[in-house]
Amino acid sequence: MNRVVHFEIHAEDVQRAQKFYSSLFGWKFTKWDGPVDYWTIETGSKDEPGINGGLVVRRGPLDGQAVTAYVCTIEVGNLDQIMKPARESGATIALPKMPIPGIGWLAYLKDTEGNIFGIMQADPSAQ
């Protein structure tokens, strides 16, 4: 089975978003030491159920095309092998496959209802 392993919040103003979530829920934000502006989100202690996430600058203006929701990411063994059956089942590509350097490969799809979700293949050699 493939599990949800991560969520992501897209924000126009990341400082404002961090202030909102940290004051409301006590979430902790840490700048990722990678090649893009990205913050990891710790939502609770490791001994509690739940998942952690990330915060990223929204890609694109608020024009109906940019991501304006939390995006849950599902870990898969092989991203390329999932793309074809996903499209055959009615999914469309929202963001094509891209590397997350040192982490893996990520793509965003829209399901049959227009909801965006991520699929991630772990690959530390991704560049």
Side-chain angles (χ1 to χ4, degrees):
M1 230 184 274
N2 300 302
R3 294 184 54 130
V4 175
V5 294
H6 184 76
F7 72 87
E8 193 167 78
I9 300 171
H10 293 238
E12 180 178 348
D13 183 330
V14 295
Q15 301 302 332
R16 180 176 60 208
Q18 287 178 20
K19 182 178 177 184
F20 175 81
Y21 288 103
S22 62
S23 66
L24 189 62
F25 299 119
W27 291 358
K28 295 178 184 168
F29 293 81
T30 304
K31 179 79 167 77
W32 181 51
D33 188 27
V36 297
D37 285 338
Y38 196 88
W39 292 260
T40 60
I41 305 170
E42 182 182 333
T43 63
S45 67
K46 292 182 181 190
D47 60 339
E48 295 178 273
I51 61 174
N52 292 320
L55 176 69
V56 65
V57 176
R58 181 175 292 119
R59 296 173 180 106
L62 288 176
D63 60 359
Q65 297 299 315
V67 177
T68 58
Y70 286 34
V71 175
C72 290
T73 299
I74 301 159
E75 186 174 37
V76 298
N78 186 309
L79 191 141
D80 293 323
Q81 288 180 354
I82 293 291
M83 295 292 281
K84 183 178 181 202
R87 288 191 311 266
E88 289 171 351
S89 297
T92 58
I93 296 173
L95 184 67
K97 178 183 175 181
M98 65 180 189
I100 306 298
I103 304 295
W105 298 95
L106 173 71
Y108 284 172
L109 302 176
K110 285 187 180 180
D111 68 13
T112 57
E113 311 311 306
N115 299 305
I116 294 177
F117 64 97
I119 51 175
M120 167 71 80
Q121 174 187 331
D123 180 359
S125 67
Q127 292 298 324

mmCIF file of all heavy atoms in Angstrom, residues 14-56:
data_model
loop_
_atom_site.group_PDB
_atom_site.id
_atom_site.type_symbol
_atom_site.label_atom_id
_atom_site.label_comp_id
_atom_site.label_asym_id
_atom_site.label_seq_id
_atom_site.Cartn_x
_atom_site.Cartn_y
_atom_site.Cartn_z
ATOM 1 N N VAL A 14 5.315 33.617 3.092
ATOM 2 C CA VAL A 14 5.674 32.505 3.983
ATOM 3 C C VAL A 14 5.829 32.945 5.431
ATOM 4 O O VAL A 14 5.504 32.184 6.345
ATOM 5 C CB VAL A 14 6.935 31.746 3.493
ATOM 6 C CG1 VAL A 14 6.671 31.069 2.168
ATOM 7 C CG2 VAL A 14 8.137 32.653 3.403
ATOM 8 N N GLN A 15 6.293 34.165 5.666
ATOM 9 C CA GLN A 15 6.420 34.643 7.045
ATOM 10 C C GLN A 15 5.043 34.768 7.706
ATOM 11 O O GLN A 15 4.857 34.402 8.862
ATOM 12 C CB GLN A 15 7.156 35.997 7.086
ATOM 13 C CG GLN A 15 8.547 35.958 6.490
ATOM 14 C CD GLN A 15 9.465 34.947 7.165
ATOM 15 O OE1 GLN A 15 9.330 34.629 8.324
ATOM 16 N NE2 GLN A 15 10.408 34.422 6.400
ATOM 17 N N ARG A 16 4.091 35.290 6.956
ATOM 18 C CA ARG A 16 2.727 35.415 7.472
ATOM 19 C C ARG A 16 2.135 34.038 7.756
ATOM 20 O O ARG A 16 1.507 33.811 8.789
ATOM 21 C CB ARG A 16 1.871 36.176 6.457
ATOM 22 C CG ARG A 16 0.429 36.376 6.881
ATOM 23 C CD ARG A 16 -0.339 37.210 5.884
ATOM 24 N NE ARG A 16 -0.366 36.574 4.565
ATOM 25 C CZ ARG A 16 -0.465 37.244 3.416
ATOM 26 N NH1 ARG A 16 -0.559 38.566 3.420
ATOM 27 N NH2 ARG A 16 -0.494 36.602 2.265
ATOM 28 N N ALA A 17 2.352 33.077 6.850
ATOM 29 C CA ALA A 17 1.842 31.721 7.046
ATOM 30 C C ALA A 17 2.478 31.068 8.262
ATOM 31 O O ALA A 17 1.797 30.422 9.064
ATOM 32 C CB ALA A 17 2.086 30.876 5.794
ATOM 33 N N GLN A 18 3.791 31.237 8.421
ATOM 34 C CA GLN A 18 4.474 30.668 9.586
ATOM 35 C C GLN A 18 3.909 31.235 10.888
ATOM 36 O O GLN A 18 3.649 30.494 11.832
ATOM 37 C CB GLN A 18 5.971 30.940 9.520
ATOM 38 C CG GLN A 18 6.683 30.121 8.487
ATOM 39 C CD GLN A 18 8.157 30.441 8.400
ATOM 40 O OE1 GLN A 18 8.747 30.985 9.312
ATOM 41 N NE2 GLN A 18 8.759 30.099 7.275
ATOM 42 N N LYS A 19 3.706 32.527 10.917
ATOM 43 C CA LYS A 19 3.155 33.175 12.118
ATOM 44 C C LYS A 19 1.762 32.623 12.420
ATOM 45 O O LYS A 19 1.438 32.314 13.560
ATOM 46 C CB LYS A 19 3.096 34.690 11.917
ATOM 47 C CG LYS A 19 2.589 35.439 13.113
ATOM 48 C CD LYS A 19 2.590 36.946 12.869
ATOM 49 C CE LYS A 19 2.011 37.671 14.063
ATOM 50 N NZ LYS A 19 1.913 39.106 13.841
ATOM 51 N N PHE A 20 0.940 32.483 11.383
ATOM 52 C CA PHE A 20 -0.416 31.976 11.558
ATOM 53 C C PHE A 20 -0.407 30.577 12.167
ATOM 54 O O PHE A 20 -1.032 30.327 13.189
ATOM 55 C CB PHE A 20 -1.142 31.968 10.205
ATOM 56 C CG PHE A 20 -2.505 31.345 10.252
ATOM 57 C CD1 PHE A 20 -3.600 32.075 10.701
ATOM 58 C CD2 PHE A 20 -2.698 30.032 9.856
ATOM 59 C CE1 PHE A 20 -4.866 31.503 10.740
ATOM 60 C CE2 PHE A 20 -3.954 29.457 9.897
ATOM 61 C CZ PHE A 20 -5.041 30.191 10.344
ATOM 62 N N TYR A 21 0.308 29.635 11.544
ATOM 63 C CA TYR A 21 0.281 28.238 11.995
ATOM 64 C C TYR A 21 1.028 28.015 13.307
ATOM 65 O O TYR A 21 0.626 27.192 14.108
ATOM 66 C CB TYR A 21 0.814 27.310 10.896
ATOM 67 C CG TYR A 21 -0.160 27.170 9.755
ATOM 68 C CD1 TYR A 21 0.035 27.836 8.558
ATOM 69 C CD2 TYR A 21 -1.301 26.388 9.890
ATOM 70 C CE1 TYR A 21 -0.862 27.719 7.515
ATOM 71 C CE2 TYR A 21 -2.210 26.255 8.853
ATOM 72 C CZ TYR A 21 -1.987 26.927 7.670
ATOM 73 O OH TYR A 21 -2.886 26.806 6.648
ATOM 74 N N SER A 22 2.099 28.766 13.525
ATOM 75 C CA SER A 22 2.821 28.570 14.783
ATOM 76 C C SER A 22 2.026 29.138 15.959
ATOM 77 O O SER A 22 1.983 28.525 17.029
ATOM 78 C CB SER A 22 4.222 29.181 14.725
ATOM 79 O OG SER A 22 4.164 30.568 14.520
ATOM 80 N N SER A 23 1.358 30.268 15.759
ATOM 81 C CA SER A 23 0.581 30.828 16.866
ATOM 82 C C SER A 23 -0.705 30.045 17.116
ATOM 83 O O SER A 23 -1.130 29.873 18.247
ATOM 84 C CB SER A 23 0.273 32.311 16.625
ATOM 85 O OG SER A 23 -0.578 32.484 15.517
ATOM 86 N N LEU A 24 -1.328 29.532 16.054
ATOM 87 C CA LEU A 24 -2.587 28.813 16.196
ATOM 88 C C LEU A 24 -2.399 27.387 16.696
ATOM 89 O O LEU A 24 -3.120 26.921 17.578
ATOM 90 C CB LEU A 24 -3.331 28.809 14.857
ATOM 91 C CG LEU A 24 -4.760 28.284 14.865
ATOM 92 C CD1 LEU A 24 -5.656 29.136 15.767
ATOM 93 C CD2 LEU A 24 -5.308 28.288 13.444
ATOM 94 N N PHE A 25 -1.411 26.671 16.131
ATOM 95 C CA PHE A 25 -1.247 25.247 16.435
ATOM 96 C C PHE A 25 0.064 24.888 17.134
ATOM 97 O O PHE A 25 0.266 23.734 17.510
ATOM 98 C CB PHE A 25 -1.339 24.416 15.146
ATOM 99 C CG PHE A 25 -2.650 24.534 14.436
ATOM 100 C CD1 PHE A 25 -2.708 25.031 13.145
ATOM 101 C CD2 PHE A 25 -3.835 24.153 15.050
ATOM 102 C CE1 PHE A 25 -3.916 25.138 12.469
ATOM 103 C CE2 PHE A 25 -5.050 24.250 14.390
ATOM 104 C CZ PHE A 25 -5.094 24.748 13.098
ATOM 105 N N GLY A 26 0.980 25.844 17.250
ATOM 106 C CA GLY A 26 2.262 25.552 17.865
ATOM 107 C C GLY A 26 3.234 24.833 16.934
ATOM 108 O O GLY A 26 4.226 24.266 17.393
ATOM 109 N N TRP A 27 2.974 24.849 15.634
ATOM 110 C CA TRP A 27 3.855 24.171 14.683
ATOM 111 C C TRP A 27 5.197 24.877 14.636
ATOM 112 O O TRP A 27 5.290 26.101 14.773
ATOM 113 C CB TRP A 27 3.243 24.152 13.294
ATOM 114 C CG TRP A 27 2.023 23.272 13.175
ATOM 115 C CD1 TRP A 27 1.466 22.486 14.146
ATOM 116 C CD2 TRP A 27 1.206 23.109 12.018
ATOM 117 N NE1 TRP A 27 0.362 21.840 13.659
ATOM 118 C CE2 TRP A 27 0.179 22.193 12.351
ATOM 119 C CE3 TRP A 27 1.249 23.636 10.738
ATOM 120 C CZ2 TRP A 27 -0.792 21.806 11.441
ATOM 121 C CZ3 TRP A 27 0.278 23.242 9.833
ATOM 122 C CH2 TRP A 27 -0.733 22.333 10.175
ATOM 123 N N LYS A 28 6.267 24.090 14.393
ATOM 124 C CA LYS A 28 7.625 24.622 14.317
ATOM 125 C C LYS A 28 8.117 24.565 12.873
ATOM 126 O O LYS A 28 8.003 23.535 12.213
ATOM 127 C CB LYS A 28 8.559 23.809 15.216
ATOM 128 C CG LYS A 28 8.199 23.933 16.684
ATOM 129 C CD LYS A 28 9.115 23.091 17.533
ATOM 130 C CE LYS A 28 8.640 23.176 18.986
ATOM 131 N NZ LYS A 28 9.285 22.185 19.824
ATOM 132 N N PHE A 29 8.673 25.678 12.408
ATOM 133 C CA PHE A 29 9.157 25.798 11.036
ATOM 134 C C PHE A 29 10.677 25.887 11.036
ATOM 135 O O PHE A 29 11.253 26.653 11.802
ATOM 136 C CB PHE A 29 8.576 27.058 10.371
ATOM 137 C CG PHE A 29 7.095 26.977 10.166
ATOM 138 C CD1 PHE A 29 6.218 27.252 11.202
ATOM 139 C CD2 PHE A 29 6.577 26.617 8.935
ATOM 140 C CE1 PHE A 29 4.845 27.168 11.023
ATOM 141 C CE2 PHE A 29 5.200 26.540 8.744
ATOM 142 C CZ PHE A 29 4.335 26.810 9.791
ATOM 143 N N THR A 30 11.306 25.113 10.160
ATOM 144 C CA THR A 30 12.760 25.117 10.040
ATOM 145 C C THR A 30 13.122 25.256 8.566
ATOM 146 O O THR A 30 12.638 24.490 7.729
ATOM 147 C CB THR A 30 13.360 23.799 10.592
ATOM 148 O OG1 THR A 30 12.930 23.628 11.946
ATOM 149 C CG2 THR A 30 14.882 23.823 10.529
ATOM 150 N N LYS A 31 13.975 26.239 8.267
ATOM 151 C CA LYS A 31 14.414 26.441 6.879
ATOM 152 C C LYS A 31 15.189 25.222 6.421
ATOM 153 O O LYS A 31 16.090 24.747 7.103
ATOM 154 C CB LYS A 31 15.288 27.701 6.798
ATOM 155 C CG LYS A 31 15.831 28.013 5.422
ATOM 156 C CD LYS A 31 14.779 28.662 4.557
ATOM 157 C CE LYS A 31 15.333 29.269 3.289
ATOM 158 N NZ LYS A 31 15.646 28.363 2.236
ATOM 159 N N TRP A 32 14.813 24.679 5.263
ATOM 160 C CA TRP A 32 15.492 23.532 4.673
ATOM 161 C C TRP A 32 16.814 23.995 4.094
ATOM 162 O O TRP A 32 16.899 25.054 3.483
ATOM 163 C CB TRP A 32 14.615 22.913 3.590
ATOM 164 C CG TRP A 32 15.199 21.703 2.924
ATOM 165 C CD1 TRP A 32 15.699 20.598 3.539
ATOM 166 C CD2 TRP A 32 15.319 21.472 1.527
ATOM 167 N NE1 TRP A 32 16.123 19.679 2.606
ATOM 168 C CE2 TRP A 32 15.898 20.199 1.356
ATOM 169 C CE3 TRP A 32 14.991 22.210 0.394
ATOM 170 C CZ2 TRP A 32 16.164 19.648 0.113
ATOM 171 C CZ3 TRP A 32 15.243 21.657 -0.846
ATOM 172 C CH2 TRP A 32 15.824 20.389 -0.984
ATOM 173 N N ASP A 33 17.850 23.191 4.272
ATOM 174 C CA ASP A 33 19.183 23.524 3.777
ATOM 175 C C ASP A 33 19.388 22.956 2.381
ATOM 176 O O ASP A 33 20.351 22.246 2.111
ATOM 177 C CB ASP A 33 20.245 22.975 4.749
ATOM 178 C CG ASP A 33 21.635 23.455 4.406
ATOM 179 O OD1 ASP A 33 21.764 24.542 3.813
ATOM 180 O OD2 ASP A 33 22.605 22.730 4.718
ATOM 181 N N GLY A 34 18.462 23.255 1.494
ATOM 182 C CA GLY A 34 18.532 22.769 0.125
ATOM 183 C C GLY A 34 18.604 23.928 -0.848
ATOM 184 O O GLY A 34 18.670 25.087 -0.445
ATOM 185 N N PRO A 35 18.557 23.643 -2.137
ATOM 186 C CA PRO A 35 18.740 24.683 -3.153
ATOM 187 C C PRO A 35 17.503 25.552 -3.424
ATOM 188 O O PRO A 35 17.586 26.470 -4.225
ATOM 189 C CB PRO A 35 19.111 23.877 -4.398
ATOM 190 C CG PRO A 35 18.449 22.556 -4.194
ATOM 191 C CD PRO A 35 18.480 22.306 -2.705
ATOM 192 N N VAL A 36 16.379 25.271 -2.774
ATOM 193 C CA VAL A 36 15.177 26.089 -2.962
ATOM 194 C C VAL A 36 14.681 26.579 -1.608
ATOM 195 O O VAL A 36 14.984 25.989 -0.573
ATOM 196 C CB VAL A 36 14.040 25.299 -3.676
ATOM 197 C CG1 VAL A 36 14.448 24.896 -5.073
ATOM 198 C CG2 VAL A 36 13.638 24.086 -2.881
ATOM 199 N N ASP A 37 13.921 27.675 -1.629
ATOM 200 C CA ASP A 37 13.322 28.182 -0.390
ATOM 201 C C ASP A 37 12.209 27.249 0.036
ATOM 202 O O ASP A 37 11.184 27.136 -0.652
ATOM 203 C CB ASP A 37 12.772 29.600 -0.601
ATOM 204 C CG ASP A 37 13.875 30.642 -0.660
ATOM 205 O OD1 ASP A 37 14.974 30.369 -0.141
ATOM 206 O OD2 ASP A 37 13.636 31.718 -1.223
ATOM 207 N N TYR A 38 12.434 26.582 1.167
ATOM 208 C CA TYR A 38 11.492 25.588 1.660
ATOM 209 C C TYR A 38 11.679 25.476 3.162
ATOM 210 O O TYR A 38 12.792 25.549 3.662
ATOM 211 C CB TYR A 38 11.771 24.226 0.992
ATOM 212 C CG TYR A 38 10.639 23.235 1.121
ATOM 213 C CD1 TYR A 38 9.619 23.205 0.182
ATOM 214 C CD2 TYR A 38 10.596 22.331 2.168
ATOM 215 C CE1 TYR A 38 8.583 22.306 0.283
ATOM 216 C CE2 TYR A 38 9.558 21.421 2.280
ATOM 217 C CZ TYR A 38 8.558 21.413 1.330
ATOM 218 O OH TYR A 38 7.525 20.523 1.435
ATOM 219 N N TRP A 39 10.570 25.333 3.872
ATOM 220 C CA TRP A 39 10.608 25.182 5.320
ATOM 221 C C TRP A 39 9.918 23.877 5.698
ATOM 222 O O TRP A 39 8.824 23.589 5.202
ATOM 223 C CB TRP A 39 9.885 26.348 6.006
ATOM 224 C CG TRP A 39 10.615 27.636 5.817
ATOM 225 C CD1 TRP A 39 11.445 28.242 6.719
ATOM 226 C CD2 TRP A 39 10.587 28.494 4.674
ATOM 227 N NE1 TRP A 39 11.941 29.410 6.195
ATOM 228 C CE2 TRP A 39 11.433 29.588 4.935
ATOM 229 C CE3 TRP A 39 9.947 28.427 3.432
ATOM 230 C CZ2 TRP A 39 11.644 30.620 4.020
ATOM 231 C CZ3 TRP A 39 10.167 29.444 2.512
ATOM 232 C CH2 TRP A 39 11.000 30.527 2.815
ATOM 233 N N THR A 40 10.546 23.089 6.560
ATOM 234 C CA THR A 40 9.880 21.898 7.063
ATOM 235 C C THR A 40 8.976 22.315 8.221
ATOM 236 O O THR A 40 9.244 23.299 8.909
ATOM 237 C CB THR A 40 10.883 20.832 7.537
ATOM 238 O OG1 THR A 40 11.688 21.372 8.582
ATOM 239 C CG2 THR A 40 11.760 20.359 6.383
ATOM 240 N N ILE A 41 7.915 21.552 8.408
ATOM 241 C CA ILE A 41 6.955 21.843 9.478
ATOM 242 C C ILE A 41 6.889 20.638 10.404
ATOM 243 O O ILE A 41 6.584 19.531 9.974
ATOM 244 C CB ILE A 41 5.535 22.114 8.928
ATOM 245 C CG1 ILE A 41 5.549 23.229 7.886
ATOM 246 C CG2 ILE A 41 4.574 22.435 10.080
ATOM 247 C CD1 ILE A 41 4.223 23.381 7.141
ATOM 248 N N GLU A 42 7.167 20.874 11.670
ATOM 249 C CA GLU A 42 7.004 19.845 12.697
ATOM 250 C C GLU A 42 5.662 20.113 13.377
ATOM 251 O O GLU A 42 5.463 21.156 13.991
ATOM 252 C CB GLU A 42 8.139 19.926 13.714
ATOM 253 C CG GLU A 42 8.083 18.874 14.782
ATOM 254 C CD GLU A 42 9.206 19.034 15.797
ATOM 255 O OE1 GLU A 42 10.270 19.574 15.457
ATOM 256 O OE2 GLU A 42 8.992 18.638 16.958
ATOM 257 N N THR A 43 4.735 19.161 13.245
ATOM 258 C CA THR A 43 3.378 19.360 13.758
ATOM 259 C C THR A 43 3.149 18.728 15.131
ATOM 260 O O THR A 43 2.081 18.915 15.710
ATOM 261 C CB THR A 43 2.330 18.794 12.778
ATOM 262 O OG1 THR A 43 2.518 17.381 12.674
ATOM 263 C CG2 THR A 43 2.449 19.433 11.407
ATOM 264 N N GLY A 44 4.116 18.002 15.630
ATOM 265 C CA GLY A 44 3.976 17.350 16.934
ATOM 266 C C GLY A 44 5.182 16.472 17.204
ATOM 267 O O GLY A 44 6.087 16.359 16.380
ATOM 268 N N SER A 45 5.168 15.832 18.351
ATOM 269 C CA SER A 45 6.295 14.970 18.701
ATOM 270 C C SER A 45 6.225 13.661 17.918
ATOM 271 O O SER A 45 5.168 13.245 17.458
ATOM 272 C CB SER A 45 6.310 14.691 20.203
ATOM 273 O OG SER A 45 5.201 13.905 20.569
ATOM 274 N N LYS A 46 7.366 13.015 17.793
ATOM 275 C CA LYS A 46 7.457 11.789 16.994
ATOM 276 C C LYS A 46 6.669 10.636 17.591
ATOM 277 O O LYS A 46 6.349 9.686 16.892
ATOM 278 C CB LYS A 46 8.916 11.397 16.808
ATOM 279 C CG LYS A 46 9.651 12.374 15.938
ATOM 280 C CD LYS A 46 11.081 11.966 15.713
ATOM 281 C CE LYS A 46 11.740 13.027 14.852
ATOM 282 N NZ LYS A 46 13.029 12.680 14.364
ATOM 283 N N ASP A 47 6.348 10.704 18.879
ATOM 284 C CA ASP A 47 5.596 9.611 19.499
ATOM 285 C C ASP A 47 4.083 9.791 19.374
ATOM 286 O O ASP A 47 3.320 8.973 19.852
ATOM 287 C CB ASP A 47 6.008 9.429 20.963
ATOM 288 C CG ASP A 47 5.754 10.667 21.816
ATOM 289 O OD1 ASP A 47 5.642 11.769 21.253
ATOM 290 O OD2 ASP A 47 5.678 10.517 23.045
ATOM 291 N N GLU A 48 3.639 10.856 18.708
ATOM 292 C CA GLU A 48 2.214 11.080 18.460
ATOM 293 C C GLU A 48 1.879 10.669 17.029
ATOM 294 O O GLU A 48 2.714 10.799 16.136
ATOM 295 C CB GLU A 48 1.875 12.571 18.602
ATOM 296 C CG GLU A 48 2.045 13.135 19.985
ATOM 297 C CD GLU A 48 1.717 14.620 19.988
ATOM 298 O OE1 GLU A 48 2.616 15.428 19.702
ATOM 299 O OE2 GLU A 48 0.553 14.966 20.245
ATOM 300 N N PRO A 49 0.649 10.191 16.783
ATOM 301 C CA PRO A 49 0.260 9.898 15.404
ATOM 302 C C PRO A 49 0.188 11.194 14.595
ATOM 303 O O PRO A 49 -0.069 12.256 15.140
ATOM 304 C CB PRO A 49 -1.117 9.266 15.529
ATOM 305 C CG PRO A 49 -1.503 9.307 16.947
ATOM 306 C CD PRO A 49 -0.374 9.892 17.743
ATOM 307 N N GLY A 50 0.422 11.089 13.323
ATOM 308 C CA GLY A 50 0.335 12.248 12.440
ATOM 309 C C GLY A 50 1.531 12.338 11.530
ATOM 310 O O GLY A 50 2.443 11.514 11.594
ATOM 311 N N ILE A 51 1.517 13.333 10.659
ATOM 312 C CA ILE A 51 2.620 13.537 9.722
ATOM 313 C C ILE A 51 3.095 14.978 9.809
ATOM 314 O O ILE A 51 2.372 15.858 10.266
ATOM 315 C CB ILE A 51 2.222 13.186 8.270
ATOM 316 C CG1 ILE A 51 1.069 14.067 7.774
ATOM 317 C CG2 ILE A 51 1.902 11.717 8.131
ATOM 318 C CD1 ILE A 51 0.729 13.878 6.303
ATOM 319 N N ASN A 52 4.307 15.193 9.367
ATOM 320 C CA ASN A 52 4.867 16.529 9.276
ATOM 321 C C ASN A 52 4.759 17.003 7.836
ATOM 322 O O ASN A 52 4.379 16.242 6.948
ATOM 323 C CB ASN A 52 6.314 16.530 9.757
ATOM 324 C CG ASN A 52 6.400 16.255 11.248
ATOM 325 O OD1 ASN A 52 5.599 16.751 12.024
ATOM 326 N ND2 ASN A 52 7.368 15.450 11.643
ATOM 327 N N GLY A 53 5.100 18.254 7.615
ATOM 328 C CA GLY A 53 4.922 18.790 6.278
ATOM 329 C C GLY A 53 5.963 19.800 5.896
ATOM 330 O O GLY A 53 7.060 19.835 6.451
ATOM 331 N N GLY A 54 5.587 20.634 4.932
ATOM 332 C CA GLY A 54 6.480 21.657 4.432
ATOM 333 C C GLY A 54 5.710 22.894 4.016
ATOM 334 O O GLY A 54 4.499 22.854 3.807
ATOM 335 N N LEU A 55 6.443 23.992 3.906
ATOM 336 C CA LEU A 55 5.889 25.276 3.489
ATOM 337 C C LEU A 55 6.737 25.775 2.327
ATOM 338 O O LEU A 55 7.970 25.759 2.394
ATOM 339 C CB LEU A 55 5.937 26.279 4.641
ATOM 340 C CG LEU A 55 5.476 27.704 4.360
ATOM 341 C CD1 LEU A 55 3.973 27.748 4.116
ATOM 342 C CD2 LEU A 55 5.843 28.619 5.524
ATOM 343 N N VAL A 56 6.082 26.190 1.259
ATOM 344 C CA VAL A 56 6.776 26.628 0.055
ATOM 345 C C VAL A 56 6.099 27.886 -0.477
ATOM 346 O O VAL A 56 4.898 28.091 -0.257
ATOM 347 C CB VAL A 56 6.775 25.494 -1.001
ATOM 348 C CG1 VAL A 56 5.374 25.177 -1.483
ATOM 349 C CG2 VAL A 56 7.704 25.804 -2.155
#
